[in-house]
Amino acid sequence: MDLTEPKIPETPAQTGHPKQLYMLFFAEMWERFSFYGMKALLLAYMVTELKFDEPKGYAILGSYAALVYTMPLFGGVMADRFLGYRKAVMFGGILMSIGHLVLALPVDWSFFFGMAFIICGNGFFKPNISSLVGTLYADNDPRKDSGFSIFYMGINIGAALGGLLCGYVGQQINWHYGFGLAGIFMILGLIVFSIGKKTLKEGLPPNPEALRKPIFAGIPTEVFIYAATLLVVPAIVALFHRYEIMDFIMFGLGALSLGYILFVAFRMDSSARYKLFAALIMIIFSTLFWAFYEQNAGSLNLFAMRNVDMHVAGFELPALAVNNFLPPAWVILLSYPFAWLWPALNRRRLEPSTPMKFGQSFLLLGIGFCVFYAACLAADAGRISLLLFILGYFFIICGELCISPIGLSMVTKLSPPKIVAMMMGIWFFASAIGEFLAGKIGALMSVPKDVVNNPVLSLPYYADIISKIGMYSIGIGILLIVLVPLIRKLMQDVR
């Protein structure tokens, strides 16, 4: 036993959540402040400041977002096999801090290099802090979904504050000040985790001796992992300059990931194999959810700036800040009701199964986009009602709360213990493919330069695709609900 690590008393069943959940809550909250604060600025910064045309801006945004959610696949594997969750989170946080501060530099090279550092850092931070939340609960603990919903609220408090403050500072004052503000809060999140990490019972390296063992030219394994990650940074920068090859990279990695999961599954006993198949089905569907949902960071940013009436009581609200504030603000308002709802329904044996929640998420997402489309039909001089814009996001976020925290919990419940972090990485890689597809969908809403300042002429470019997203999402939700009995059978004893 490692005597340097204090023993933490077990939390009695059904008597609240472990105190470590709240440390992870605040660490993730400030990290997400920085991440979403920066992301809120990207597309608008490229289109208005760097003067990229819209298809190029969407392509780079999609590539960035895809790489952000691809790297957790590798960061999860490195944590499972070598680093452990704690070291991985610390290393990722340091890289992300560097990335945000580089973005704050008003020089030509800083934009792509800053994003590259953030991509690599997120790969180590994101899957492993989520995996640490899973270690706080026993298998089939009914508090687990609720705990992830609370954790997810922390993500969205940070996202709301980051989108609002960085969006305002970047658009209204100075873009690089907005990026710098994001960096300050990334460092704060890193400090919170550094102070609180020793209260965790899990997350140490699985084999400390292997971590110290020389792997190449006398370099210890741990140092080699860190150095190799730094070498990836210039490779990602080069990729941004050739973003058109991302199609081959993303779908190639998707095929390799699918093949690897199947390879691992067929080496396991039938019970573990069927559970992995159930997880795989839900992960594949999740890519489509994120392809539709992530319009909020791309096309809906420009839609809000051009076609949403932001006037309230004679004052014009900053569209970029409002659009990036609304989704996490709704999550904050709805997270506790959802965290209360699932255990309450469970006690009455009425809680929907995990695959049913996934189906419901698509139905709600589709309703939200249908509200946006209805607002377009009722637009006045090419601008839609802010109230209908807010209402559309209400349904979209209800859909998100039925899939995102539930998906995190699902991965930890259906994955064999030795590959939890890897499967968490694959969950985020599915988000990567979804983000990449979101860029493709957003590009369909590109508005010609000669009409960007005319709301009446720009509105039809958005309305047509918004209506299609709504209908496709509802159709996918119905299909998933039809598949619920099959998926539940594969899940066996997992609820």
Side-chain angles (χ1 to χ4, degrees):
M1 183 177 69
D2 187 349
L3 297 178
T4 64
E5 298 296 328
K7 288 289 288 180
I8 306 300
E10 296 288 342
T11 302
Q14 310 301 329
T15 59
H17 292 279
K19 64 181 182 180
Q20 294 89 346
L21 174 66
Y22 300 99
M23 180 274 290
L24 296 173
F25 174 102
F26 283 107
E28 178 76 345
M29 182 181 80
W30 294 124
E31 184 271 332
R32 291 291 94 177
F33 178 105
S34 68
F35 180 80
Y36 282 103
M38 180 274 293
K39 190 176 180 182
L41 304 176
L42 286 183
L43 183 62
Y45 176 73
M46 287 188 282
V47 171
T48 63
E49 187 73 12
L50 299 181
K51 306 301 181 183
F52 292 173
D53 59 42
E54 286 191 29
K56 180 178 179 179
Y58 281 118
I60 291 175
L61 177 64
S63 298
Y64 164 77
L67 290 169
V68 158
Y69 286 99
T70 298
M71 284 301 292
L73 180 61
F74 302 101
V77 172
M78 290 299 102
D80 277 336
R81 297 191 59 185
F82 301 109
L83 296 175
Y85 301 147
R86 299 189 208 177
K87 284 181 179 289
V89 169
M90 283 297 299
F91 178 53
I94 291 169
L95 290 181
M96 293 182 77
S97 298
I98 293 171
H100 286 295
L101 296 179
V102 167
L103 276 172
L105 300 174
V107 292
D108 292 341
W109 58 265
S110 67
F111 185 63
F112 287 146
F113 270 93
M115 289 197 296
F117 272 105
I118 292 170
I119 286 165
C120 291
N122 187 77
F124 284 87
F125 190 99
K126 187 62 179 171
N128 296 303
I129 197 167
S130 299
S131 295
L132 281 170
V133 174
T135 68
L136 302 179
Y137 301 92
D139 291 340
N140 280 331
D141 187 330
R143 300 173 300 159
K144 198 168 198 175
D145 280 2
S146 176
F148 270 103
S149 291
I150 293 171
F151 178 71
Y152 201 64
M153 186 180 71
I155 291 174
N156 284 278
I157 291 175
L161 294 174
L164 183 65
L165 296 178
C166 295
Y168 176 80
V169 170
Q171 185 182 9
Q172 303 294 325
I173 301 175
N174 182 283
W175 294 105
H176 293 283
Y177 291 170
F179 291 133
L181 182 62
I184 291 171
F185 283 93
M186 179 66 241
I187 295 170
L188 179 58
L190 191 60
I191 291 171
V192 170
F193 183 79
S194 180
I195 293 171
K197 66 180 180 178
K198 289 188 177 181
T199 67
L200 297 164
K201 293 181 288 184
E202 305 289 344
L204 294 173
N207 187 342
E209 287 298 321
L211 202 56
R212 292 189 288 268
K213 183 180 178 181
I215 189 173
F216 177 77
I219 302 173
T221 300
E222 182 175 2
V223 176
F224 183 83
I225 291 170
Y226 299 153
T229 303
L230 291 176
L231 291 176
V232 173
V233 170
I236 292 175
V237 172
L239 188 59
F240 279 131
H241 291 286
R242 295 293 303 275
Y243 56 83
E244 62 274 5
I245 69 174
M246 280 295 294
D247 288 6
F248 303 100
I249 293 174
M250 292 309 299
F251 294 115
L253 287 174
L256 286 174
S257 298
L258 177 60
Y260 185 71
I261 295 176
L262 294 174
F263 172 74
V264 170
F266 280 105
R267 298 182 67 185
M268 296 180 173
D269 62 76
S270 59
S271 177
R273 184 186 314 134
Y274 293 146
K275 290 176 183 177
L276 277 180
F277 287 165
L280 182 60
I281 292 170
M282 287 184 278
I283 287 172
I284 290 172
F285 272 102
S286 75
T287 63
L288 299 174
F289 182 91
W290 298 119
F292 299 150
Y293 174 88
E294 285 298 335
Q295 297 307 310
N296 67 3
S299 62
L300 291 182
N301 258 341
L302 299 182
F303 179 61
M305 293 170 66
R306 295 165 177 165
N307 292 100
V308 179
D309 184 358
M310 290 290 172
H311 290 88
V312 177
F315 178 76
E316 185 174 6
L317 301 175
L320 196 60
V322 169
N323 184 62
N324 287 278
F325 173 76
L326 280 175
W330 273 125
V331 174
I332 294 166
L333 291 173
L334 295 170
S335 283
Y336 265 122
F338 271 79
W340 167 86
L341 176 64
W342 304 134
L345 292 174
N346 180 270
R347 288 192 295 270
R348 295 167 176 80
R349 299 186 179 182
L350 296 173
E351 183 181 6
S353 65
T354 296
M356 179 62 75
K357 291 174 184 175
F358 271 56
Q360 291 169 344
S361 72
F362 277 95
L363 295 179
L364 290 163
L365 178 73
I367 291 170
F369 274 92
C370 287
V371 170
F372 288 160
Y373 181 62
C376 290
L377 295 179
D380 180 18
R383 296 190 182 274
I384 74 167
S385 161
L386 178 59
L387 288 178
L388 287 178
F389 192 59
I390 294 170
L391 178 63
Y393 266 124
F394 167 80
F395 289 106
I396 289 171
I397 298 309
C398 284
E400 181 187 0
L401 287 171
C402 288
I403 193 171
S404 193
I406 305 306
L408 294 173
S409 181
M410 175 271 294
V411 169
T412 64
K413 289 189 288 188
L414 291 175
S415 303
K418 291 185 179 180
I419 62 167
V420 169
M422 184 200 75
M423 289 299 295
M424 192 67 74
I426 289 174
W427 166 258
F428 288 115
F429 178 65
S431 301
I433 295 177
E435 294 266 10
F436 185 66
L437 293 174
K440 301 283 190 184
I441 295 171
L444 298 175
M445 290 185 257
S446 295
V447 177
K449 291 182 179 180
D450 59 340
V451 300
V452 293
N453 295 319
N454 187 324
V456 174
L457 296 179
S458 65
L459 184 64
Y461 288 90
Y462 295 104
D464 178 54
I465 305 301
I466 283 173
S467 68
K468 288 182 171 63
I469 291 174
M471 297 310 297
Y472 282 127
S473 184
I474 291 172
I476 293 168
I478 293 170
L479 174 61
L480 252 176
I481 291 171
V482 171
L483 292 176
V484 164
L486 170 63
I487 301 173
R488 289 194 64 181
K489 186 175 182 180
L490 292 172
M491 292 171 66
Q492 300 172 72
D493 59 323
V494 177
R495 303 186 65 178

